[in-house]
Amino acid sequence: EQKSTINFGAGPAKLPQSVLLQAQKELLSYNSLGISVLEMSHRSSDFSKILNKTESLMRELLNIPDNYKVMFLQGGGSGQFSAVPLNLIGLKEDRCADYLVTGTWSAKAAKEAEKYGKVNIVHPKLNSYTSECTILCRLSSRNSRPSSWTLNPSASYVYYCCNETVHGVEYNFIPETNGVVLVSDMSSNFLSRPVDVSKFGLIFAGAQKNVGCAGVTVVIVREDLLGHALKECPIVLDYKVQAESNSLYNTPPCFSIYIMCLVLEWIKNNGGSIAMENLNNQKSSLIYDIINNSDGFYVCPVDQPCRSRMNIPFRLKTEEGDEALEKQFLDGAAKRGMISLKGHRSVGGIRASLYNAVTLEDTEALATYMKEFKKQHM
Ligand code: PMP
């Protein structure tokens, strides 16, 4: 049966209905084996098939070149904030890395990296939400690239967060690093559009937004970057160890990998990353158009060129928001079955997350509500 609740949560987030139904059908007995994936040995041939299928779907959907390893690890996106410097900051003797900071998640990653080497904050996070976003925007709209961001040519890598989930800031270009290894956190826009993997040294993404449930983090890494981990790198975070053991150095998050496999199949059956991009453009335009044409009733503090297609933060009436009215908005939405629209606690306001599994119809329901609410309260 169709669910009547529409989940606009930022993650863990909505999963495709067909994926949930398939998981339900197979929960007690996977593939007529008489046991659940939850009970299966990670070294069994049945689980190997799931793992291999997940990897090959991922390779197909993102067109991942052969000289990249794909790993399915634990520890979340935050685990990668540590794993990235532990594995890569020693690529060059200076142990420096450049971090482009555009919001909460890149700021956290930079702070963690400072434990392991010298971190150059190329793109400082300013105190205010708005000014921080404006800076990124100004740079991108002048078509600037990190070459004007005073990158350090002897950095081991350049790091950025492709989509800032809290602030709703998304890159619509790949930073040019002039040969320095590029690392990207794509947790909240992974597989929402095609990406040229060959431009990156490493991409990582937690699954719980666009490609599954919590528990598994995908790491795609170029082979020549393996084997440079610092001595103190915990073995479960060592990319070389995990890559050589096909993500089976220790017990992987089996069930989360299985769910990811189902989601990747769903993406493939629905037209792959290009179809996801078209749909995501359509959905986000629907909401941004309402914001833009609301005569200031809805205010999105992010400047146009770096507005996220995945997470749309907005306030009511002013940039600081009319909190009482925002509460009314959220209550009214909940009455219509639309949940998890509250902005992140650090920024307040409203946030609509429109990941792959959120349908056009779901988005239309929100759009209709936004128009009605404005009419009643303008
Ligand atoms: N990066 C981004 C862009 C995120 O949105 C999040 C979580 N919302 C994280 C990293 C951290 O992920 P986790 O909670 O899995 O550690």
Side-chain angles (χ1 to χ4, degrees):
E1 90 256 28
Q2 199 62 35
K3 289 194 295 186
S4 56
T5 303
I6 307 177
N7 181 1
F8 290 104
K14 183 176 176 180
L15 286 165
Q17 175 88 347
S18 63
V19 166
L20 292 174
L21 288 171
Q22 176 93 14
Q24 180 188 48
K25 198 170 107 205
E26 295 176 337
L27 185 68
L28 297 184
S29 176
Y30 176 77
N31 210 9
S32 309
L33 292 168
I35 61 166
S36 172
V37 178
L38 287 163
E39 307 168 297
M40 197 179 274
S41 163
H42 59 293
R43 309 219 178 260
S44 64
S45 66
D46 295 294
F47 184 73
S48 285
K49 282 183 202 141
I50 294 173
L51 187 62
N52 293 340
K53 186 171 175 190
T54 311
E55 177 172 343
S56 63
L57 280 165
M58 185 76 77
R59 286 189 177 277
E60 182 184 342
L61 288 169
L62 284 173
N63 207 4
I64 300 174
D66 288 342
N67 61 327
Y68 284 74
K69 294 285 189 190
V70 179
M71 297 178 281
F72 303 98
L73 306 181
Q74 306 201 48
S78 306
Q80 292 307 309
F81 296 168
S82 321
V84 165
L86 280 163
N87 281 276
L88 303 182
I89 210 155
L91 280 173
K92 292 186 188 161
E93 231 169 88
D94 287 357
R95 279 206 196 181
C96 292
D98 286 340
Y99 275 71
L100 312 182
V101 173
T102 52
T104 301
W105 297 108
S106 43
K108 283 197 167 176
K111 191 151 192 289
E112 181 64 15
E114 279 170 359
K115 292 181 184 167
Y116 307 108
K118 284 180 253 125
V119 169
N120 175 27
I121 308 278
V122 177
H123 190 57
K125 180 181 186 311
L126 303 179
N127 291 332
S128 133
Y129 175 27
T130 314
S131 41
E132 163 200 320
C133 301
T134 310
I135 282 199
L136 175 61
C137 169
R138 237 186 277 136
L139 289 164
S140 60
S141 57
R142 270 193 289 143
N143 205 23
S144 295
R145 291 294 185 264
S147 54
S148 69
W149 296 356
T150 48
L151 286 190
N152 172 5
S154 60
S156 293
Y157 60 88
V158 175
Y159 178 105
Y160 77 107
C161 177
C162 198
N163 184 70
E164 284 285 358
T165 321
V166 172
H167 292 94
V169 174
E170 186 175 24
Y171 282 71
N172 61 10
F173 61 91
I174 298 176
E176 174 56 59
T177 62
N178 301 320
V180 176
V181 169
L182 184 61
V183 174
S184 187
D185 172 2
M186 295 196 185
S187 293
S188 51
N189 65 356
F190 194 60
L191 270 168
S192 68
R193 63 184 179 197
V195 58
D196 182 355
V197 174
S198 72
K199 297 265 197 287
F200 295 85
L202 184 141
I203 292 169
F204 72 85
Q208 67 269 28
K209 292 142 196 318
N210 262 327
V211 286
C213 64
V216 60
T217 305
V218 184
V219 178
I220 302 169
V221 60
R222 216 174 60 211
E223 271 168 0
D224 61 288
L225 302 177
L226 300 173
H228 298 276
L230 304 181
K231 311 200 275 316
E232 60 267 37
C233 180
I235 195 157
V236 291
L237 295 182
D238 188 320
Y239 296 145
K240 183 165 191 278
V241 171
Q242 289 287 8
E244 284 178 351
S245 55
N246 196 25
S247 310
L248 293 170
Y249 169 74
N250 64 323
T251 316
C254 302
F255 196 77
S256 302
I257 292 171
Y258 157 74
I259 296 290
M260 183 187 280
C261 189
L262 297 181
V263 174
L264 296 178
E265 262 182 326
W266 173 85
I267 293 177
K268 183 178 168 180
N269 293 338
N270 283 278
S273 58
I274 293 175
M276 292 299 125
E277 178 174 44
N278 290 335
L279 184 65
N280 289 325
N281 287 344
Q282 217 181 329
K283 286 166 4 195
S284 53
S285 297
L286 203 59
I287 303 302
Y288 282 123
D289 284 350
I290 290 175
I291 294 172
N292 294 344
N293 299 317
S294 71
D295 301 314
F297 185 76
Y298 296 114
V299 183
C300 174
V302 184
D303 285 336
Q304 303 266 2
C306 55
R307 282 185 174 177
S308 168
R309 301 156 309 128
M310 298 284 105
N311 313 97
I312 306 185
F314 59 92
R315 306 293 316 237
L316 266 60
K317 291 204 163 155
T318 68
E319 258 182 36
E320 285 72 47
D322 176 335
E323 284 181 23
L325 196 58
E326 287 169 350
K327 185 172 182 316
Q328 244 181 297
F329 179 92
L330 292 169
D331 291 345
K335 282 204 186 105
R336 287 167 171 75
M338 293 185 276
I339 64 158
S340 302
L341 282 163
K342 199 171 176 6
H344 190 270
R345 59 190 185 282
S346 62
V347 295
I350 319 288
R351 172 176 53 173
S353 295
L354 306 178
Y355 299 125
N356 289 346
V358 173
T359 63
L360 188 57
E361 295 73 44
D362 294 341
T363 314
E364 280 163 350
L366 176 62
T368 303
Y369 174 60
M370 286 174 73
K371 282 190 223 156
E372 283 174 18
F373 190 85
K374 185 196 149 205
K375 216 184 254 170
Q376 281 164 15
H377 298 276
M378 182 80 187

